[in-house]
Amino acid sequence: MKMSRPSSLVPHLSTKDALLEIGSEELPASFVLPGIRQLKALAEESLKASGLSYSSIEAYGTPRRLAVVIHGLSDRSSDQKKVVTGPPSAIAKDAQGQWTSAALGFARKQGLKPSELTIEKDRLSATLQIKGVATRQLLADLFPQWITRLEFPKSMVWEPTKFHYPRPIRWLAAVYGNDTVSFTLAGVRSGKWTYGLMLQSTKKIPITQPGKYVVMRKNQCVLVEPQTRQEAIRRFAEQAVKRVHGKVHMSAALLEEVGNLVEHPVAILGNFDPAYLDLPKEVLITCLEHHQKFFPVVEPHPMPSPSGRGASEAGGEAKLLPHFVGIRNGMSVHQEIVREGYERVLAARLADARFFFNQDRRTPLAAKVDALRGVMFQEKLGNLFEKKERVKKLLGTLAPAMGGMADLEKAQLAANLCKADLVTDMVREFPELQGIMARLYAQADGEDAGVAQALEEHYWPITLSGTLPSSDIAAFVALADKLDTLAGDFAVGLIPSGSADPYGLRRAAVGIIRILESKKWPLNLEWLVDQAVEAQPNHLKAAVGETQSKLNQFMQQRFAALLTERGFKSDEIDAILAGGVGVVREALARLEALKSFRDDKEFLILATVFKRPSNIIRQAKKAGVDFVGGNESSINELLFEHEAERELHRVLKQTSRDVDEKISNKEYSEALKAILPIATPLDSFFKEAMVMADNHDVKLNRLNMMCWVETTLAKVADFSKLQNA
């Protein structure tokens, strides 16, 4: 019999707020937001698993602390039932009906009598009632677990227990209600206190109301909410530039980064020598934003650009002013000293930029191309000069497949120059400017505007969802460059695994797919991959087939992942990509047609019929039956034994022609409708005839017919992949 269980649980009436704050030396800015997200997720997951109820959870973070506040946390975990599985029931008793040692041992281990065990799925099982545990006691185990499970790109070890964390932990605040949650981690004992701003005060600040953590920290000049810090930075910066009648040029990425570098932002307006305004704006902004984390200041009312692009795009057309806004951490004291320090450091950086720019301009960009022979791309793939030569050759191979490329000569010129800025002093000092400096130097040299633009944009998209190259020339060079990178890396075994992708190959693959989609070029993706692999160095040609296969599979996986993000169902994607990607825009059109058509009632009924030919063919091949394949010429009408065979053959001939016509006209929805007439005669055929007939010739003829059906259907999609088929 089952062990008795208590009546329904009584809800906990007593609740309190809880707080965990991890105080450390300053975290990298990029670690703060991931830390906040992880801490909240870990808290939600483990509190639920522990049977602790709560009203809400909020997580916070600054460079010096990550914190989670749990509001309305119950004082005990709920009672829980646990079922433990034991040995097979067949060995629970011996021939005399006595409990065996296996059953007795299992019952003893669970603290039960053998008679209290039950049988579940032919095994002994014990139903245990786990009593709730006091919340404070549970948190003493959970809090250190959350900290231990936090994951960051890099961590360090600094104390005898060899605990891993991005920076040394200096204090741990752990409170439930008014009580300390006691534990020790990384050599630090938890307490009921925290600290304020670094360098402002070293006094311990007691925590009396964990639920009012945000207000308490704000009263100590610590803004623990990232969004609040960003709003404060924006507000203070806008106030600071009013004196110079300017406007803050504030990129979202820099605002987020700076917001996670400070706990209490203060804006300081600084100046630099107006003479530096003769440097390209991109260089000035890079010096200010990337290297000093300063916000540039621009004219408040810029004139529209000749191209019509807004002033907010990529630096826009707004004229820079010789001012900047720096954000310091802490109270607004000694601002003049801080300002002088900011200005002195920036002046040195701008002086370096001017020197490098002038040095680079002593020779044209084209004169720097030969120096690429001295820059290694990859040990087995050669130098950058050889890489750009492969890209030029690949452009020549691809152009005819596009029906000719009107600007092929310009595209190849862009390919010849696209890596030349990597040997310039400016890009060596400011790597963020690669591509941008190539464009600027090409423009200064009087190169064609489209060529100059392609030198910057051939790196695009820089992120998975980033901006695509705007012109055909830039997109063509970007396509060839990314194909060469992927083919080369796969040829030498640099294939992404797991989450690791140090060379950005997933981004390159998605970039290729998005470019092909955007430009609507009639280029078969598998063919592109094959051409790129064929263009690799001769010493890598021995494994061409294997490289092509692996890279094609990788590209198909990236395409499938992209389509999943867009909301398509996995079986729809599998059905369309079963035979390869082909032309990207056509694959997308077929997928859209399938998605809209599969919900049709008639289609849902017929899908099961369409699936049978694939199953039959697969079983026949597994059985070792050798047959020709699916086309009209493989069918011998003299071997037909049933009227259903003749009718299926007649309908199939017409349907095959109709499907081919619709597909050639890119009418994929109509192609799907065109296959529907096969369903009725196919169903009748299955009822009247057996494909695996005793007569060998008849069997092969019918298998060939099934192949022809499958081939006709596969021109649109592999219906065997659809889950409701």
Side-chain angles (χ1 to χ4, degrees), residues 331-374:
M331 305 300 291
S332 185
V333 294
H334 309 301
Q335 286 205 16
E336 286 303 320
I337 297 175
V338 176
R339 179 186 295 108
E340 289 174 5
Y342 285 173
E343 291 175 348
R344 185 167 56 252
V345 173
L346 179 60
R349 179 66 67 179
L350 292 176
D352 288 345
R354 169 173 281 174
F355 173 78
F356 296 136
F357 183 76
N358 290 337
Q359 284 291 104
D360 290 340
R361 288 296 302 131
R362 294 174 66 179
T363 57
L365 186 64
K368 307 180 195 300
V369 172
D370 198 59
L372 293 173
R373 299 179 188 275

Side-chain angles (χ1 to χ4, degrees), residues 295-502:
F295 295 101
V297 180
V298 298
E299 290 181 336
H301 303 293
M303 295 296 292
S305 66
S307 64
R309 294 172 62 187
S312 62
E313 294 183 45
E317 300 301 322
K319 181 180 178 182
L320 280 173
L321 298 177
H323 311 290
F324 64 89
V325 175
I327 303 297
R328 67 169 296 187
N329 185 37
M331 305 300 291
S332 185
V333 294
H334 309 301
Q335 286 205 16
E336 286 303 320
I337 297 175
V338 176
R339 179 186 295 108
E340 289 174 5
Y342 285 173
E343 291 175 348
R344 185 167 56 252
V345 173
L346 179 60
R349 179 66 67 179
L350 292 176
D352 288 345
R354 169 173 281 174
F355 173 78
F356 296 136
F357 183 76
N358 290 337
Q359 284 291 104
D360 290 340
R361 288 296 302 131
R362 294 174 66 179
T363 57
L365 186 64
K368 307 180 195 300
V369 172
D370 198 59
L372 293 173
R373 299 179 188 275
V375 182
M376 185 64 66
F377 171 60
Q378 203 279 335
E379 183 180 4
K380 296 179 181 179
L381 296 172
N383 55 50
L384 283 176
F385 187 93
E386 292 168 325
K387 175 178 173 53
K388 64 94 178 173
E389 286 296 303
R390 289 197 300 272
V391 173
K392 288 170 60 180
K393 180 180 178 181
L394 192 55
L395 290 172
T397 302
L398 304 186
M402 298 170 61
M405 175 71 179
D407 292 320
L408 176 60
E409 186 176 339
K410 291 181 180 179
Q412 290 185 319
L413 174 58
N416 191 61
L417 298 174
C418 68
K419 307 298 181 185
D421 65 331
L422 298 181
V423 298
T424 63
D425 290 336
M426 185 68 81
V427 173
R428 287 194 184 107
E429 181 68 15
F430 303 99
E432 303 88 354
L433 289 171
Q434 71 172 13
I436 295 173
M437 293 314 302
R439 170 176 59 79
L440 292 172
Y441 290 148
Q443 289 172 340
D445 293 339
E447 296 285 0
D448 178 84
V451 171
Q453 181 186 33
L455 301 186
E456 176 181 358
E457 295 185 5
H458 87 282
Y459 289 109
W460 295 6
I462 297 173
T463 62
L464 288 174
S465 57
T467 305
L468 294 172
S470 57
S471 69
D472 284 353
I473 296 174
F476 200 29
V477 178
L479 179 71
D481 183 54
K482 291 174 182 10
L483 281 167
D484 177 75
T485 297
L486 281 163
D489 283 1
F490 267 71
V492 299
L494 299 177
I495 301 174
S497 60
S499 60
D501 186 14

Side-chain angles (χ1 to χ4, degrees), residues 57-349:
I57 293 179
E58 298 296 338
Y60 308 97
T62 76
R64 292 190 70 212
R65 68 199 80 219
L66 294 175
V68 60
V69 177
I70 306 117
H71 296 279
L73 185 60
S74 57
D75 61 352
R76 294 182 66 82
S77 62
S78 59
D79 294 347
Q80 294 180 310
K81 184 179 75 171
K82 182 179 180 182
V83 178
V84 181
T85 302
S89 58
I91 63 171
K93 291 185 178 182
D94 58 22
Q96 288 74 40
Q98 300 299 313
W99 292 105
T100 64
S101 58
L104 291 171
F106 174 66
R108 186 167 53 252
K109 184 178 180 180
Q110 307 307 324
L112 301 176
K113 298 176 182 179
S115 59
E116 294 176 319
L117 299 176
T118 59
I119 297 176
E120 301 285 345
K121 296 182 179 179
D122 297 325
R123 301 188 76 90
L124 290 179
S125 66
T127 301
L128 308 177
Q129 194 67 41
I130 310 299
K131 287 289 186 182
V133 180
T135 295
R136 185 179 169 193
Q137 180 182 339
L138 275 174
L139 292 180
D141 293 328
L142 295 178
F143 279 175
Q145 289 177 22
W146 300 349
I147 303 171
T148 302
R149 291 174 63 187
L150 291 172
E151 296 181 355
F152 298 95
K154 293 182 180 180
S155 60
M156 61 184 294
V157 173
W158 67 94
E159 47 82 48
T161 67
K162 299 189 182 301
F163 183 77
H164 286 256
Y165 198 71
R167 294 293 184 270
I169 293 176
R170 294 309 183 204
W171 77 88
L172 293 167
V175 186
Y176 176 61
N178 291 320
D179 300 320
T180 301
V181 178
S182 298
F183 64 91
T184 300
L185 186 69
V188 178
R189 184 72 180 170
S190 62
K192 276 183 62 176
W193 39 263
T194 182
Y195 286 100
L197 283 172
M198 186 174 62
L199 303 180
Q200 297 289 334
S201 173
T202 58
K203 289 184 179 181
K204 293 182 179 179
I205 303 170
I207 298 174
T208 57
Q209 294 178 294
K212 296 184 178 180
Y213 174 73
V214 175
V215 175
M216 180 190 74
R217 300 282 65 227
K218 186 176 181 180
N219 291 339
Q220 297 294 330
C221 297
V222 176
L223 305 180
V224 294
E225 297 170 299
Q227 191 60 41
T228 300
R229 293 195 298 275
Q230 291 184 30
E231 291 170 359
I233 290 170
R234 188 185 300 277
R235 185 172 65 255
F236 295 154
E238 290 173 352
Q239 291 173 356
V241 299
K242 286 181 179 179
R243 289 192 290 125
V244 294
H245 306 290
K247 179 181 179 182
V248 184
H249 175 84
M250 191 170 285
S251 74
L254 183 59
L255 178 60
E256 180 179 296
E257 181 179 5
V258 174
N260 289 323
L261 288 171
V262 298
E263 292 192 310
H264 183 82
V266 174
I268 295 179
L269 179 67
N271 311 294
F272 60 86
D273 189 340
Y276 287 116
L277 292 174
D278 63 358
L279 285 170
K281 182 171 60 177
E282 294 87 346
V283 173
L284 287 172
I285 289 178
T286 297
C287 289
L288 289 163
E289 292 186 341
H290 290 273
H291 291 266
Q292 305 307 135
K293 311 304 177 189
F294 296 158
F295 295 101
V297 180
V298 298
E299 290 181 336
H301 303 293
M303 295 296 292
S305 66
S307 64
R309 294 172 62 187
S312 62
E313 294 183 45
E317 300 301 322
K319 181 180 178 182
L320 280 173
L321 298 177
H323 311 290
F324 64 89
V325 175
I327 303 297
R328 67 169 296 187
N329 185 37
M331 305 300 291
S332 185
V333 294
H334 309 301
Q335 286 205 16
E336 286 303 320
I337 297 175
V338 176
R339 179 186 295 108
E340 289 174 5
Y342 285 173
E343 291 175 348
R344 185 167 56 252
V345 173
L346 179 60
R349 179 66 67 179

Side-chain angles (χ1 to χ4, degrees), residues 509-568:
V510 173
I512 289 170
I513 293 167
R514 291 183 60 212
I515 288 171
L516 290 172
E517 177 189 6
S518 172
K519 292 299 179 182
K520 300 180 180 179
W521 286 334
L523 298 172
N524 182 290
L525 186 59
E526 286 77 17
W527 179 80
L528 288 173
V529 165
D530 292 349
Q531 301 310 306
V533 173
E534 289 284 356
Q536 294 309 301
N538 289 330
H539 65 273
L540 299 174
K541 293 293 179 66
V544 164
E546 182 182 359
T547 301
Q548 290 172 335
S549 176
K550 288 182 178 179
L551 184 49
N552 274 315
Q553 183 181 13
F554 178 75
M555 295 297 296
Q556 185 165 323
Q557 290 170 347
R558 291 300 93 208
F559 191 31
L562 181 64
L563 294 173
T564 300
E565 289 178 5
R566 295 183 182 181
F568 291 100

